[in-house]
Amino acid sequence: MCVYRVLFSSSLLGDITQKGYEKKRAKLLGPFLPQITSVVLALSDIQQQASSGPTSGEASRDCSPEAPGPSSSSGGRRNRSGGARDDRYRSDIHTEAVQAALAKHKEEKMALPMPTKRRSAFVQSPVENCTPPDTSSASEDEGSLRRQAALSAVLAQSLQSPDYWINRSVQSSSTSSSTSSSTSSTLSHGENKTPTSALADILASTRIENSVPPDVTSSTPERRSRVDSRVDLPPNAMPRGMPRGQSRTSMLDTTADGVPVNSRVSTKIQQLLNTLKRPKRPPLSDFFLDDSEEIVEVPQPDPNTPRPEGRQIIPVKGEPLGVVSNWPPALQAALARWGASQAKSPALTTLDVTGKPLYTLTYGKLWSRSLKLAYTLLNKLGTKNEPVLRPGDRVALVYPNTDPAMFWVAFYGCLLAEVIPVPIEVPLSRQDAGSLQIGFLLGSCGVGLALTSEICLKGLPKTPQGEIMQFKGWPRMKWVVTDTKYLTKPSKDWQPHIPTANTDTAYIEYKASKEGTVMGVAVSKIALLTHCQALTQACNYCEGETLVNVLDCKKDMGLWHGVLTSVMNRIHTITVPYAVMKACPMSWVQRVHIHKARVAVVKCRDLHWAMMAHRDQRDTNLSSIRMLIVADGANPWSVSSCDAFLNVFQSHGLKPEVICPCASSPEALTVAIRRPGARGTALPARAILSMGGLSHGVIRVNTEDKNSALTVQDVGHVMPGALMCIVKPDGPPQLCKTDEIGEIVLNSRAGGTMYYGLPGVTKNTFEVIPVNQAGAPMGDIPFTRTGLLGFVGPGSLVFVVGKNEGLLTVSGRRHNADDLVATALAVEPVKTVYRGRIAVFSVTVFYDERIVIVAEQRPDASEEDSFQWMSRVLQAIDGIHQVGLYCLALVPANMLPFGVGPASIMVGNLVAGNRMAQAAGRELGVVEEEGLVRKHQFLSEALQWRAQSDPDHVLYVLLNAKGAAVCTATCLQLHKRAEKITSALMERGGLNTGDNVVLLYPPGIDLIAAFYGCLYAGVIPVTVRPPHPQNLAATLPTVRMIMDVSKAACILTTQPLMRILRSREAAASVNVKTWPTIIDTDDLPRRRPPQLYKPPTAEMLAYLDFSVSTTGMLTGVKMSHSAISTLCRSIKLQCELYSSRQIAICLDPYCVFVYSGHQSILIPPMELELSLPLWLSTLSQYKIRDTFCSYSVMELCTKGLGTQTDSLKARGMNLSCVRSCVVIAEERPRLALTQSFSKLFKDLGLSPRAVSTAFGSRVNLAICLQGTAGPDPSTVYVDMKSLRHDRVRLVERGAPQSLPLMESGTILPGVRVIIVNPETRGPLGDSHLGEIWVQSPHSSSGYYTIYGEESLQADHFNTRLSFGEPHTLWARTGYLGFVKRTELLGSTGDRHDALFVVGQLDETLELRGLRYHPIDIETSVSRAHRSIAESAVFTWTNLLVVVAELAGSEQEALDLVPLVTNVVLEEHHLIVGVVVIVDPGVIPINSRGEKQRMHLRDSFLADQLDPIYVAYNM
């Protein structure tokens, strides 16, 4: 065991300086050399046999095992009894096609990736280009010095900082924000490799234990030239301890004597020996393959692609809706009529679980009970003056399918009371209620009361106190039991009001969208009546008939036929619930036989189940049926189901012409239905379509290969009184051609009217005006989108080939989820798939959709059967549909959601929680100085007004390292200096309004004066950090790049900096002759300048804010005058800042302007390097109440002054005056640092409640800021495992794998935030992780430029939600977070909504299909050893790279590697690919204290880190 322990701790192949070579060799290998020798000798014979073959690395690259062809023998098949649903999909045609496709694969080598059994394959990902250096980076000029000072205080030694990490050619570098790599099948993203070689690559990369260690030193000239074209390497940048000219050779699997080794133990030890023999450092360029262009290459259109050739389609009219004199004016009137005249006529018969009749409800009882319920709802639920329900209110109906009688009474009782029923499913558990998304439906419909039965109420989940549990995502509900004994008989003088049918909403039917959201389709009273009339005419219903209904009576065809139209025509309905069908599959056939039913409403599954169980009932007679309505007859498998059922039951009296498939949608209700034909008439013909044509959206009759054909049956003619068109499913609703597949749109009075409570989504669905090919509207008649894809065949017959929600577009070709399900189930699913339950959906991979199939596995299915089935499905779908699968997975039975279609199981966009995840600050209102706001609303005007009204008020005080005020600026002084700068700009710069001017100043009042001078002149200031005089080669190109990108027309700067810009040293880095006009503001004329003020407008740009994000993207955002003015007002209101107040700012004023008219004491962070106590002593001396700082400043004080609190207290430092200390940052709050700061300086009087954080982003500089009136910041603990799955699960403090998160501050006034699924752009629920979107009047106007990524970031501003509030414009912050409603009360008295920031979306690491946040891994690494001063992580070709700064002796570098790998493995379950130990100060940190991981990654790839030690575990 000790040998394996050594191998585990030493298996990271790496480099070491010569100093530690002998120590490592003696320490690790000395005790084990005898054992190693014996192992090598014992295996020598076997290894000699293997030496004749290729090395393991060559074998894994060049040889891939041929996948065995799938077995077609039937000897292994076991006959299983009936009861499974999957055979309903079977058809001889489809099965024959699948078998032919499978047989084709027997003769050739397997060309598709076989399913893998829980193994991961590493595929090289596209590697990003180098990023430009951060304009606010402080790695050399400020950040490194600051961090060196902090480390000096701790270690009492001077630490060296590298001066060349940023030395690169920034003019030609391009940025990238992606840090994640997706592992995908080769077939998924169109690489130019054969599937066999791609499979070999995948298999080769999985054999890590026998692979050859990578040669990471030598670089081919071609690859080296690619790197050199992007990065300027220092000429003398040789690694320490590595002589020139040495390179690492590829290590073969041989011992030191040349004997090949195949044993895992021997190989590992030999690799370690070879490593120690040659302690050299490899460059990484050999393994840096930039294949992003190949991956995202858009395929060129095929010239042979079939295109529609027919003429433009003509709208199809249904038969006129007949006018019958005795039609009732409303459905309630029909019930009243039958309840009075036909009281004893049966209306409904219910069955027990065994399929026997349980109860018969007559029309008289239905009328009387509905009357009682309506009276009770209107008169007995509240007081006379304050009733609980009023006409038009929405009421939820919660009844199980096994109790249809109670549902009927509740539904008609609501209609009589003129309240709107909303039938929903019964929640079986709290989680079930959330997963079905009913809460969003109830919330959007404003439902507050639920009707249910006594039995159902007892079965609902309860709290320990016996109350109904608050279901996940539901609004608070009041429950009313509607059993007869709880109802009140109405008084004799009370009669319900039954108005003539109008456009008021009659009921709301729920519908699950493609994204999983449940919406309510409102059906008006006139639409309800017209739909019943149209169904009566189309189905030729007669009074007194018997109907067998097998469908859910709460929605769709089960509701329309079995509850509504049946009452219209006094039909006797026999309901067969789903539970009865499972126990007795023949029950509905028996009911038809016993009651001589004339009509039956079923689904394909019911035909299949009856066909499977018909052997037990040989005396059934179905000759009485005149119409067998197949509700899902539009699906591709309905043909085979109908044919098979007819083949079995035709001998039992079933007539072929009675089978009537139909098409329907929740929005348009019934779209088309086949009318029952006369006996002996010819059946409608089938359409045999080419699958290839369908994938391109055109209709082509299949005449060549019957294996790639789709047989569809018609669904009859369009409904009476309706008008139908076919329009293109994407883009504008343009009319299709006659041979083109499109979406069916319908105009009819008998359809839904809107999505209740969602006006934005309603317009796109219910108010569609078709246009011709020229784009002109075809009249003004609005149509409703049905979501059905189809065409009109001969004789105006309607054919449906799929649903829009099941449409999957892969590489420009369209595939339907239902077709893929049918193909998958034709591959002998009986032994594998549980009840035929298969979900098909798509995921986005490399800018294109990829298909995923998830099937439920039978509990008794063997692993071999399942594996064979998956292999055959891959082949069948490739052979028939010509498309590869991205993922095929089997999950346990009953794991897929119930009640949604195959394409509705899209991951994400599930609106759960009891409320939408959104929060808002208080109203911005008007600040106190109304005159200032009304007359001087912009910053430049405010300064002029203050210079007149209060000229001697001190606005700014600049301190030096000794705490002395070196410069002050009153309102008048700042105004005059700004005027002089304006005059110099106009006279010497020759600028026009709107030109960009670069401000190149150190932090101070000169910068502020130049800023306001630009505002006065009407030009746009661009603040840029000046280059560091001692490191011009690294920092000056950054300045030049921003000047070029911003197209600056002039530079304002000081005399010393102007000399630097024109110096010889600068000429070595940039072309100094091409600088724009440089104006020195140190020598301005003393004469009074002329009045040159140019007043701005609200939309004019105030300034450009250039910065490099932590992902390495250089962006310039535009801030308008109205936005910056509103920002100052918002901060002023939040922090209660007035002109008499003082605040201390220890920040660089390059990106964050928080000045509002109060007195600001400016403490340049650079001064803290000379005097650590400067900031805290200033707070104590001036008795500052509010201060702003960065994490760098806080960390500097924590490390440097943490042990000096006693001496500081002795000198009289007192921080009890500090009310708020706000950390300005664009990241997750560093809870450990803020808590340490509070605890360390608690003895100085600092209140633990004073420290808080702020949050802003590039799109909005200030979103959250802890103010004076809000509650204290909240802290929650979340489960890290759930966080990796993009879920938030709150746990208790101290729970295993818990992560503390602190609220990012109170949301500023005028700001709204919402949590959105970043992929589907749909809003999420409370406590759900998603992207933070913001809406605010001080949001940035947009990007001025994005260095390298313009197209990808175009939608960061002015984007819209996919549903909910589609008209509201939002800005995407790019940060993941969640909103949680706390128990604390805000300033308005309402419960406080806390925003928690988790991390930046672009910075997350996607490894093994999970999302990791770098800060979590870095926290674990930093805790691993006391000598780790700082750490950073990033990914490189699917490997995790950890860079750790060593703050101790170099001898400790060897000890850090196993500690780092172990802690990451134990806490995050990740294997570290590369560990790099570096000197302190190497990890770049910007001025806000944020790590620049992309810069670090670029330096790593360019081999510029100069590490102490590198360990590889490839």
Side-chain angles (χ1 to χ4, degrees):
M1 288 301 293
C2 42
V3 174
Y4 287 101
R5 202 173 297 124
V6 170
L7 285 174
F8 176 74
S9 62
S10 306
S11 61
L12 295 172
L13 309 178
D15 297 329
I16 179 174
T17 55
Q18 193 66 31
K19 294 180 291 185
Y21 163 62
E22 293 296 338
K23 178 181 176 182
K24 181 176 180 181
R25 180 184 179 94
K27 181 179 178 180
L28 297 181
L29 294 181
F32 305 106
L33 286 177
Q35 293 92 321
I36 296 171
T37 307
S38 61
V39 172
V40 172
L41 293 176
L43 297 174
S44 60
D45 294 338
I46 302 175
Q47 293 155 359
Q48 284 175 355
Q49 295 174 7
S51 65
S52 59
T55 63
S56 62
E58 294 168 347
S60 63
R61 281 193 301 269
D62 301 334
C63 304
S64 62
E66 286 192 16
S71 172
S72 60
S73 63
S74 58
R77 304 176 190 166
R78 297 186 294 274
N79 294 327
R80 301 188 184 274
S81 58
R85 283 168 39 187
D86 38 37
D87 272 2
R88 73 182 188 276
Y89 304 101
R90 296 183 63 110
S91 73
D92 294 336
I93 298 174
H94 211 132
T95 302
E96 181 183 353
V98 171
Q99 296 300 333
L102 295 177
K104 190 181 302 182
H105 286 268
K106 289 183 181 180
E107 304 170 0
E108 58 187 33
K109 192 188 306 184
M110 176 69 169
L112 285 171
M114 298 290 287
T116 58
K117 300 178 182 178
R118 300 185 186 277
R119 293 176 186 157
S120 62
F122 296 100
V123 179
Q124 289 191 351
S125 66
V127 181
E128 295 76 2
N129 299 326
C130 285
T131 57
D134 184 9
T135 61
S136 59
S137 173
S139 63
E140 175 63 33
D141 55 339
E142 176 192 337
S144 294
L145 298 175
R146 181 182 309 141
R147 295 177 60 222
Q148 286 177 30
L151 291 168
S152 299
V154 180
L155 305 174
Q157 63 179 359
S158 176
L159 300 177
Q160 178 186 359
S161 174
D163 60 354
Y164 56 84
W165 71 270
I166 202 171
N167 182 19
R168 64 195 69 188
S169 172
V170 293
Q171 287 85 352
S172 61
S173 64
S174 62
T175 62
S176 173
S177 61
S178 172
T179 63
S180 60
S181 306
S182 300
T183 303
S184 60
S185 166
T186 307
L187 294 176
S188 304
H189 49 71
E191 291 184 359
N192 276 333
K193 296 180 182 179
T194 64
T196 307
S197 64
L199 180 60
D201 291 343
I202 294 175
L203 292 176
S205 57
T206 59
R207 299 179 56 188
I208 298 175
E209 67 273 9
N210 291 327
S211 62
V212 175
D215 178 9
V216 287
T217 34
S218 59
S219 174
T220 61
E222 178 186 359
R223 178 57 58 194
R224 173 58 65 187
S225 65
R226 290 185 66 177
V227 175
D228 289 344
S229 67
R230 301 184 300 115
V231 180
D232 292 336
L233 294 176
N236 299 322
M238 285 301 295
R240 289 180 302 224
M242 179 177 177
R244 294 175 183 264
Q246 290 187 356
S247 63
R248 179 188 301 274
T249 58
S250 298
M251 292 178 289
L252 303 178
D253 283 347
T254 59
T255 63
D257 299 328
V259 181
V261 177
N262 287 336
S263 164
R264 177 183 302 179
V265 177
S266 301
T267 302
K268 287 292 183 181
I269 295 178
Q270 186 58 46
Q271 290 173 355
L272 186 57
L273 281 171
N274 291 339
T275 302
L276 295 178
K277 283 181 182 179
R278 291 177 290 273
K280 303 155 193 167
R281 184 176 51 158
L284 307 174
S285 54
D286 261 8
F287 294 88
F288 176 51
L289 301 178
D290 191 357
D291 56 351
S292 58
E293 296 180 359
E294 179 183 352
I295 289 175
V296 302
E297 182 179 358
V298 179
Q300 297 299 321
D302 186 0
N304 300 322
T305 299
R307 303 181 184 278
E309 302 169 353
R311 56 176 174 80
Q312 183 175 289
I313 192 172
I314 300 174
V316 179
K317 274 189 176 182
E319 58 194 270
L321 189 61
V323 179
V324 183
S325 57
N326 61 347
W327 278 128
L331 189 59
Q332 306 94 298
L335 176 60
R337 172 186 174 187
W338 304 129
S341 62
Q342 301 285 341
K344 295 185 178 180
S345 176
L348 172 69
T349 297
T350 62
L351 306 181
D352 60 14
V353 190
T354 63
K356 297 179 181 179
L358 178 66
Y359 179 78
T360 297
L361 181 71
T362 63
Y363 277 96
K365 291 180 181 178
L366 177 61
W367 166 249
S368 62
R369 293 181 185 178
S370 302
L371 209 58
K372 287 181 182 180
L373 178 59
Y375 179 78
T376 303
L377 293 177
L378 293 178
N379 300 283
K380 297 300 179 181
L381 294 186
T383 63
K384 188 173 184 180
N385 296 328
E386 295 183 4
V388 174
L389 282 179
R390 301 178 184 273
D393 288 348
R394 277 75 57 203
V395 176
L397 306 188
V398 187
Y399 296 93
N401 292 336
T402 54
D403 195 0
M406 294 293 292
F407 173 76
W408 278 44
V409 171
F411 190 89
Y412 282 102
C414 290
L415 293 184
L416 291 173
E418 294 188 271
V419 297
I420 302 173
V422 185
I424 62 174
E425 302 295 336
V426 178
L428 303 178
S429 66
R430 186 176 185 276
Q431 186 63 34
D432 185 40
S435 65
L436 292 179
Q437 304 303 300
I438 300 299
F440 180 73
L441 169 72
L442 299 178
S444 62
C445 296
V447 176
L449 187 137
L451 307 183
T452 188
S453 63
E454 187 175 23
I455 297 177
C456 182
L457 189 71
K458 291 179 180 178
L460 292 177
K462 307 260 190 333
T463 63
Q465 292 75 26
E467 300 177 353
I468 301 297
M469 183 177 293
Q470 179 63 30
F471 294 115
K472 186 177 181 181
W474 284 36
R476 295 204 170 272
M477 305 285 289
K478 181 176 181 180
W479 295 84
V480 176
V481 177
T482 61
D483 290 53
T484 307
K485 59 184 177 181
Y486 298 107
L487 302 181
T488 304
K489 186 176 181 180
S491 57
K492 294 183 179 179
D493 58 342
W494 186 86
Q495 289 294 329
H497 178 240
I498 304 179
T500 303
N502 52 29
T503 57
D504 294 341
T505 301
Y507 72 95
I508 296 174
E509 183 173 327
Y510 77 86
K511 174 237 180 181
S513 70
K514 178 178 180 179
E515 294 81 13
T517 309
V518 177
M519 301 179 290
V521 178
V523 180
S524 66
K525 296 177 181 178
I526 188 66
L528 168 64
L529 184 67
T530 307
H531 189 218
C532 291
Q533 295 172 356
L535 286 177
T536 300
Q537 180 174 329
C539 301
N540 197 20
Y541 281 125
C542 300
E543 187 179 328
E545 282 188 317
T546 302
L547 179 145
V548 174
N549 178 29
V550 194
L551 308 183
D552 185 359
C553 62
K554 297 192 293 294
K555 58 179 294 191
D556 295 338
M557 305 288 289
L559 173 67
W560 307 334
H561 288 266
V563 180
L564 306 179
T565 309
S566 59
V567 170
M568 169 80 78
N569 295 282
R570 195 176 64 81
I571 291 175
H572 177 203
T573 302
I574 302 168
T575 299
V576 185
Y578 179 73
V580 176
M581 287 294 298
K582 287 200 295 184
C584 181
M586 278 288 291
S587 54
W588 75 271
V589 178
Q590 295 170 356
R591 291 300 109 195
V592 171
H593 168 71
I594 294 172
H595 293 273
K596 300 291 187 287
R598 301 280 290 157
V599 181
V601 186
V602 298
K603 283 188 174 181
C604 290
R605 70 163 188 221
D606 308 311
L607 302 180
H608 165 68
W609 285 4
M611 184 178 60
M612 296 291 290
H614 83 284
R615 300 178 184 85
D616 303 331
Q617 301 287 336
R618 301 185 181 280
D619 56 348
T620 54
N621 189 347
L622 302 182
S623 60
S624 62
I625 288 188
R626 66 171 184 84
M627 193 172 189
L628 180 62
I629 301 175
V630 184
D632 54 352
N635 289 328
W637 54 72
S638 63
V639 181
S640 55
S641 299
C642 295
D643 290 348
F645 184 80
L646 177 63
N647 186 43
V648 171
F649 285 95
Q650 193 165 5
S651 59
H652 295 264
L654 182 68
K655 298 180 284 292
E657 62 272 8
V658 305
I659 297 180
C660 300
C662 68
S664 63
S665 79
E667 292 83 2
L669 307 186
T670 307
V671 176
I673 188 169
R674 187 189 293 175
R675 280 49 163 182
R679 185 170 181 80
T681 56
L683 294 176
R686 307 278 171 82
I688 304 176
L689 307 177
S690 166
M691 295 287 288
L694 288 178
S695 67
H696 294 286
V698 297
I699 304 166
R700 294 291 183 266
V701 177
N702 186 283
T703 57
E704 300 175 357
D705 185 8
K706 65 179 181 179
N707 296 330
S708 60
L710 176 68
T711 303
V712 293
Q713 62 180 351
D714 69 276
V715 290
H717 294 87
V718 68
M719 289 294 289
L723 183 66
M724 187 185 74
C725 292
I726 310 293
V727 301
K728 293 184 181 297
D730 304 320
Q734 182 180 338
L735 288 174
C736 291
K737 297 183 179 179
T738 53
D739 59 341
E740 189 175 4
I741 302 291
E743 183 177 6
I744 298 174
V745 295
L746 202 69
N747 170 261
S748 173
R749 288 204 309 167
T753 55
M754 62 177 171
Y755 293 124
Y756 200 93
L758 303 172
V761 190
T762 295
K763 185 175 182 62
N764 299 330
T765 303
F766 294 91
E767 302 174 18
V768 176
I769 307 293
V771 298
N772 57 19
Q773 294 182 358
M778 304 293 292
D780 55 355
I781 304 176
F783 284 74
T784 299
R785 290 186 180 272
T786 65
L788 301 176
L789 302 176
F791 62 95
V792 179
S796 297
L797 291 174
V798 181
F799 290 84
V800 177
V801 297
K803 295 181 179 178
N804 207 5
E805 69 173 13
L807 200 61
L808 312 174
T809 304
V810 180
S811 299
R813 297 179 57 199
R814 298 188 292 190
H815 305 273
N816 201 278
D818 293 338
D819 299 338
L820 296 170
V821 169
T823 301
L825 287 176
V827 186
E828 301 180 7
V830 179
K831 294 186 291 186
T832 306
V833 182
Y834 177 71
R835 295 189 178 275
R837 288 177 53 78
I838 292 183
V840 177
F841 56 92
S842 65
V843 295
T844 302
V845 179
F846 293 126
Y847 314 105
D848 198 3
E849 287 191 53
R850 295 290 181 261
I851 297 175
V852 177
I853 296 182
V854 182
E856 289 186 0
Q857 185 180 25
R858 290 177 62 105
D860 55 348
S862 67
E863 185 174 357
E864 184 60 32
D865 289 342
S866 302
F867 199 75
Q868 280 291 340
W869 179 79
M870 296 175 75
S871 304
R872 295 164 71 85
V873 166
L874 289 171
Q875 299 169 12
I877 289 183
D878 178 65
I880 294 176
H881 300 273
Q882 286 84 47
V883 65
L885 293 185
Y886 181 67
C887 174
L888 173 61
L890 284 173
V891 297
N894 297 318
M895 286 293 289
L896 294 179
F898 285 85
V900 293
S904 300
I905 312 177
M906 291 283 292
V907 179
N909 205 14
L910 300 179
V911 183
N914 57 355
R915 53 184 291 276
M916 300 290 283
Q918 57 182 345
R922 50 182 169 163
E923 294 294 328
L924 190 58
V926 178
V927 292
E928 286 70 15
E929 295 99 343
E930 294 185 1
L932 171 65
V933 175
R934 185 174 60 252
K935 299 178 183 177
H936 314 287
Q937 57 181 342
F938 302 128
L939 282 185
S940 55
E941 297 171 343
L943 177 59
Q944 295 182 59
W945 177 78
R946 288 191 180 278
Q948 295 175 2
S949 61
D950 195 2
D952 297 327
H953 172 65
V954 178
L955 280 177
Y956 300 107
V957 178
L958 180 66
L959 303 183
N960 61 10
K962 297 180 180 180
V966 294
C967 185
T968 61
T970 64
C971 297
L972 185 60
Q973 288 171 345
L974 186 62
H975 167 64
K976 288 184 175 180
R977 183 161 179 80
E979 283 186 330
K980 291 182 179 181
I981 293 176
T982 303
S983 176
L985 283 171
M986 294 296 101
E987 293 175 2
R988 297 158 58 184
L991 303 179
N992 299 318
T993 302
D995 285 347
N996 296 336
V997 175
V998 166
L999 309 185
L1000 207 62
Y1001 291 91
I1005 295 178
D1006 286 341
L1007 172 64
I1008 300 170
F1011 181 84
Y1012 280 98
C1014 291
L1015 297 187
Y1016 282 8
V1019 295
I1020 303 170
V1022 182
T1023 57
V1024 179
R1025 183 179 307 280
H1028 198 282
Q1030 279 76 42
N1031 194 13
L1032 288 179
T1035 56
L1036 191 58
T1038 305
V1039 177
R1040 181 74 210 201
M1041 179 175 59
I1042 296 180
M1043 296 211 184
D1044 293 339
V1045 171
S1046 63
K1047 303 179 179 64
C1050 178
I1051 300 175
L1052 288 180
T1053 186
T1054 62
Q1055 283 183 358
L1057 285 173
M1058 184 174 67
R1059 286 194 292 267
I1060 289 176
L1061 293 181
R1062 293 172 174 170
S1063 64
R1064 292 183 178 180
E1065 292 81 2
S1069 301
V1070 298
N1071 186 358
V1072 297
K1073 296 180 180 180
T1074 58
W1075 290 118
T1077 303
I1078 302 178
I1079 299 178
D1080 166 25
T1081 57
D1082 288 345
D1083 186 21
L1084 295 175
R1086 296 184 179 273
R1087 67 179 185 276
R1088 180 180 178 86
Q1091 292 290 333
L1092 299 172
Y1093 176 69
K1094 297 182 180 180
T1097 61
E1099 295 78 18
M1100 284 180 58
L1101 294 186
Y1103 70 94
L1104 295 179
D1105 182 6
F1106 273 87
S1107 170
V1108 173
S1109 67
T1110 54
T1111 56
M1113 180 178 297
L1114 172 64
T1115 54
V1117 295
K1118 300 182 290 187
M1119 292 294 295
S1120 66
H1121 279 274
S1122 63
I1124 194 63
S1125 176
T1126 308
L1127 173 63
C1128 291
R1129 286 179 52 202
S1130 182
I1131 295 176
K1132 184 172 185 176
L1133 183 63
Q1134 185 87 333
C1135 300
E1136 297 181 1
L1137 302 178
Y1138 306 103
S1139 57
S1140 58
R1141 295 277 301 280
Q1142 282 183 324
I1143 67 171
I1145 302 174
C1146 192
L1147 287 168
D1148 282 344
Y1150 290 110
C1151 302
V1152 184
F1153 283 87
V1154 293
Y1155 317 121
S1156 282
H1158 45 273
Q1159 183 179 359
S1160 300
I1161 300 176
L1162 306 180
I1163 308 169
M1166 288 289 293
E1167 302 295 342
L1168 265 67
E1169 315 292 350
L1170 305 175
S1171 175
L1172 279 176
L1174 174 62
W1175 174 47
L1176 298 181
S1177 61
T1178 303
L1179 301 181
S1180 175
Q1181 176 184 349
Y1182 289 87
K1183 297 191 180 331
I1184 299 296
R1185 298 180 62 187
D1186 301 283
T1187 181
F1188 299 87
C1189 68
S1190 65
Y1191 279 122
S1192 297
V1193 172
M1194 185 168 284
E1195 187 174 14
L1196 202 61
C1197 294
T1198 302
K1199 291 182 178 180
L1201 301 176
T1203 59
Q1204 304 176 26
T1205 52
D1206 293 338
S1207 62
L1208 294 175
K1209 189 174 183 180
R1211 280 190 274 172
M1213 185 178 291
N1214 186 359
L1215 301 180
S1216 60
C1217 56
V1218 177
R1219 181 181 61 172
S1220 67
C1221 173
V1222 183
V1223 186
I1224 304 296
E1226 295 184 15
E1227 60 176 304
R1228 179 201 299 177
R1230 301 186 193 176
L1231 186 59
L1233 178 58
T1234 56
Q1235 288 180 344
S1236 299
F1237 182 82
S1238 300
K1239 291 178 181 178
L1240 286 174
F1241 299 104
K1242 180 178 64 174
D1243 295 339
L1244 299 180
L1246 181 65
S1247 170
R1249 301 174 57 185
V1251 180
S1252 62
T1253 62
F1255 171 64
S1257 69
R1258 303 299 295 136
V1259 300
N1260 192 298
L1261 296 182
I1263 299 173
C1264 298
L1265 180 65
Q1266 192 65 29
T1268 56
D1272 292 339
S1274 303
T1275 301
V1276 297
Y1277 294 84
V1278 299
D1279 181 54
M1280 290 185 66
K1281 294 181 180 178
S1282 300
L1283 209 59
R1284 294 167 194 152
H1285 293 274
D1286 285 346
R1287 294 196 299 268
V1288 175
R1289 186 168 71 90
L1290 300 180
V1291 295
E1292 296 295 328
R1293 180 179 181 179
Q1297 291 285 319
S1298 63
L1299 174 69
L1301 293 176
M1302 186 173 73
E1303 179 186 356
S1304 295
T1306 306
I1307 297 176
L1308 281 169
V1311 177
R1312 285 182 63 199
V1313 297
I1314 190 169
I1315 307 300
V1316 178
N1317 186 307
E1319 297 179 357
T1320 60
R1321 303 194 181 188
L1324 294 172
D1326 192 81
S1327 298
H1328 278 65
L1329 187 67
E1331 186 181 4
I1332 302 170
W1333 288 17
V1334 61
Q1335 182 200 36
S1336 164
H1338 65 254
S1339 291
S1340 306
S1341 306
Y1343 288 126
Y1344 179 79
T1345 183
I1346 307 172
Y1347 195 71
E1349 299 252 354
E1350 290 83 353
S1351 59
L1352 295 182
Q1353 311 299 331
D1355 64 340
H1356 277 198
F1357 301 88
N1358 300 330
T1359 188
R1360 289 179 168 86
L1361 295 169
S1362 58
F1363 65 93
E1365 291 185 54
H1367 299 297
T1368 305
L1369 294 178
W1370 300 85
R1372 304 181 61 173
T1373 65
Y1375 284 82
L1376 292 175
F1378 60 94
V1379 169
K1380 182 182 184 299
R1381 173 157 286 184
T1382 65
E1383 298 300 326
L1384 303 175
L1385 296 181
S1387 58
T1388 59
D1390 298 329
R1391 291 174 62 188
H1392 174 62
D1393 295 319
L1395 174 65
F1396 296 89
V1397 178
V1398 176
Q1400 191 167 358
L1401 182 62
D1402 290 339
E1403 205 173 47
T1404 56
L1405 314 176
E1406 291 188 10
L1407 297 167
R1408 301 186 300 114
L1410 304 178
R1411 191 192 302 276
Y1412 293 84
H1413 296 271
I1415 187 174
D1416 298 328
I1417 304 176
E1418 291 162 359
T1419 302
S1420 301
V1421 171
S1422 298
R1423 289 200 312 260
H1425 196 275
R1426 58 181 172 80
S1427 296
I1428 298 179
E1430 189 59 271
S1431 63
V1433 299
F1434 51 86
T1435 54
W1436 168 57
T1437 60
N1438 277 341
L1439 294 177
L1440 178 65
V1441 181
V1442 176
V1443 180
E1445 292 183 354
L1446 177 62
S1449 169
E1450 288 191 0
Q1451 300 299 324
E1452 296 179 335
L1454 301 177
D1455 301 328
L1456 297 185
V1457 175
L1459 294 175
V1460 169
T1461 55
N1462 287 346
V1463 73
V1464 175
L1465 184 62
E1466 290 173 3
E1467 297 187 10
H1468 303 278
H1469 310 290
L1470 287 175
I1471 297 175
V1472 179
V1474 184
V1475 179
V1476 185
I1477 309 298
V1478 296
D1479 291 315
V1482 170
I1483 297 176
I1485 306 283
N1486 68 8
S1487 60
R1488 296 184 296 273
E1490 299 162 346
K1491 298 172 187 174
Q1492 303 288 292
R1493 298 180 181 89
M1494 287 302 98
H1495 290 313
L1496 183 66
R1497 186 178 188 272
D1498 290 340
S1499 300
F1500 171 75
L1501 294 177
D1503 205 8
Q1504 294 178 342
L1505 292 183
D1506 190 22
I1508 302 171
Y1509 176 70
V1510 182
Y1512 299 98
N1513 181 23
M1514 310 298 284

